[in-house]
Amino acid sequence: MSFASAISADFLERIAEPVSRFHPDYLSYRNREITKQELIGRLPHVALLGDSVCMGIYISSPWGTFWRAHTCRRRNWFADASDPHAGIRSISKRLEEITPFVVTQYAGIGAMVDHEGCRPELFRRVLGTRNFSGQISQLLRVARFPDLILISIGHNNVDWAWRCPPDELNAPETRLNDQSKQFRQNYARELRRLLSRARIEKHRVSVVVFGLINFESYFQGREAVERLRESDTRRYPHLETTYKYYISFHPAYRRNLMRLASIMNEDLRGMVVDLNRELENTGNIQLRYSHALATADLSRAELLHPIDGWHASVEGHNVLAEAAFSDLGPSLEFLEIATQR
């Protein structure tokens, strides 16, 4: 799956204003001293790495899911291309109130934190999904490295019951511990690749590692959806389809899924602490862990999609956008974006 990139539609008009921080760059462009591409390169660049939690998608028939996986890129909590006064008040819409910028989304349905070189399973290959290592590789190939990189991935790694030996379903302690350990190792390895590139950049780079969503409140919303489905079987027509792709969503396995997600969030927090020790005296990089998505309240049925009751609805994406953006202040301050126009 290729990444999706977009530039603020009115960026030329905005930077043409004398009060704009980029007005000198605009004058250089107007005087043909720099190209339009060079001008765009001087705008803030924002990127997102992630999984389907970051996408405006839902599960239905195999063909419908395949089509959306390849086309639904910009209607989610990170980027929403709809009318500024409608749809999702995404991070991109909120940032556009501050500054024109370039946004790129690498997230893909079914993406996992993986070991570089591991071949994705057939289902993910058909969908064109790139796992975390593949998304990192894509990002490392770009000529203009982003200023702000948001990472929200790992939700598919908590499916502990997937391919679980029968004897471990009722005694999963060892499996949960091994899975969380592998998750942290793979995440840290890929993040180090990203930070190695950031070290050689001349501009500041802020990386935000978001914790996994609040699965405890999420399953409260899911249970509300299931009750609605029981009273009217016409609602949420693909509610059960979820279980074909995500074994641990079965009620019997949810408690351990929540436990694993909590462990992984602590692993992410600890990983960021360790990596920041390695970044000492690297003044152009800011690495942060954010618990914003892990504390967002997703307990209402209307926050889940009316087709599959699994992925976020428009209202759900608004909740995630509000949570994520509310914790971007330190990053915007570090990048001096908060004062741009």
Side-chain angles (χ1 to χ4, degrees):
M1 182 181 295
S2 60
F3 56 82
S5 186
I7 308 168
S8 297
D10 60 348
F11 82 96
L12 280 176
E13 292 82 357
R14 292 179 66 178
I15 67 177
E17 298 176 3
V19 296
S20 171
R21 175 177 179 173
F22 303 102
H23 185 64
D25 300 309
Y26 171 78
L27 293 178
S28 296
Y29 164 70
R30 192 182 66 178
N31 295 332
R32 299 184 178 180
E33 297 168 1
I34 62 174
T35 65
K36 187 174 183 179
Q37 196 61 37
E38 289 173 321
L39 176 63
I40 292 171
R42 299 184 184 185
L43 299 177
H45 282 54
V46 184
L48 174 71
L49 309 177
D51 50 37
S52 61
V53 167
C54 311
M55 303 175 68
I57 198 165
Y58 58 90
I59 296 297
S60 60
S61 66
W63 172 247
T65 302
F66 173 83
W67 181 82
R68 281 185 296 277
H70 288 272
T71 59
C72 297
R73 305 289 291 177
R74 297 197 57 214
R75 188 172 173 79
N76 50 67
W77 61 263
F78 176 65
D80 184 9
S82 62
D83 184 279
H85 304 292
I88 301 166
R89 191 159 184 265
S90 62
I91 284 179
S92 65
K93 285 182 179 178
R94 296 165 192 256
L95 281 177
E96 282 182 337
E97 297 173 2
I98 303 173
T99 181
F101 65 98
V102 180
V103 60
T104 306
Q105 184 162 346
Y106 297 88
I109 183 172
M112 299 182 68
V113 175
D114 63 324
H115 190 292
E116 184 183 12
C118 288
R119 184 174 173 82
E121 62 172 7
L122 178 61
F123 168 70
R124 288 174 170 83
R125 295 203 302 272
V126 169
L127 293 178
T129 298
R130 283 187 173 86
N131 287 326
F132 193 35
S133 65
Q135 294 179 33
I136 293 286
S137 295
Q138 279 188 306
L139 183 53
L140 294 180
R141 286 194 291 267
V142 300
R144 170 57 165 92
F145 197 71
D147 305 273
L148 176 60
I149 302 171
L150 310 180
I151 307 176
S152 176
I153 194 169
H155 300 92
N156 294 299
N157 292 82
V158 298
D159 187 7
W160 69 274
W162 180 55
R163 295 181 177 177
C164 181
D167 61 324
E168 294 185 18
L169 286 173
N170 295 321
E173 295 302 321
T174 299
R175 183 175 182 84
L176 297 183
N177 290 331
D178 290 346
Q179 201 159 324
S180 63
K181 181 180 180 181
Q182 185 178 53
F183 172 78
R184 176 169 177 164
Q185 290 174 343
N186 289 336
Y187 204 121
R189 181 188 305 108
E190 296 307 319
L191 195 51
R192 283 192 177 93
R193 294 174 63 207
L194 187 72
L195 296 173
S196 293
R197 167 68 184 273
R199 285 177 184 269
I200 64 175
E201 295 296 324
K202 296 180 180 179
H203 63 271
R204 292 186 176 188
V205 178
S206 179
V207 180
V208 181
V209 174
F210 285 104
L212 307 184
I213 64 166
N214 185 341
F215 274 104
E216 183 175 356
S217 72
Y218 171 86
F219 278 122
Q220 292 174 11
R222 175 81 177 181
E223 289 167 2
V225 163
E226 289 165 344
R227 290 192 294 271
L228 292 171
R229 168 74 170 165
E230 288 176 0
S231 62
D232 184 353
T233 56
R234 294 171 299 180
R235 304 187 68 173
Y236 305 99
H238 284 276
L239 184 70
E240 287 80 14
T241 306
T242 301
Y243 303 131
K244 296 180 180 179
Y245 302 102
Y246 216 118
I247 304 301
S248 299
F249 264 47
H250 280 91
Y253 304 138
R254 291 176 185 174
R255 183 176 66 86
N256 284 317
L257 185 156
M258 290 186 283
R259 289 178 58 208
L260 181 56
S262 179
I263 294 170
M264 286 182 173
N265 280 344
E266 288 305 310
D267 285 337
L268 289 176
R269 190 196 302 272
M271 177 197 69
V272 168
V273 171
D274 291 344
L275 289 175
N276 270 315
R277 293 194 186 102
E278 298 177 14
L279 290 174
E280 288 182 3
N281 303 319
T282 308
N284 74 311
I285 301 177
Q286 180 196 63
L287 175 63
R288 301 173 49 234
Y289 170 79
S290 172
H291 212 48
L293 299 185
T295 55
D297 186 357
L298 301 172
S299 61
R300 292 178 286 125
E302 59 266 29
L303 301 183
L304 300 182
H305 201 281
I307 299 298
D308 65 4
W310 174 6
H311 294 91
S313 64
V314 169
E315 294 87 347
H317 279 285
N318 270 316
V319 168
L320 295 173
E322 174 67 29
F325 190 79
S326 69
D327 200 27
L328 289 188
S331 297
L332 301 182
E333 183 177 355
F334 176 76
L335 298 171
E336 299 181 334
I337 289 179
T339 59
Q340 295 178 9
R341 288 292 184 269

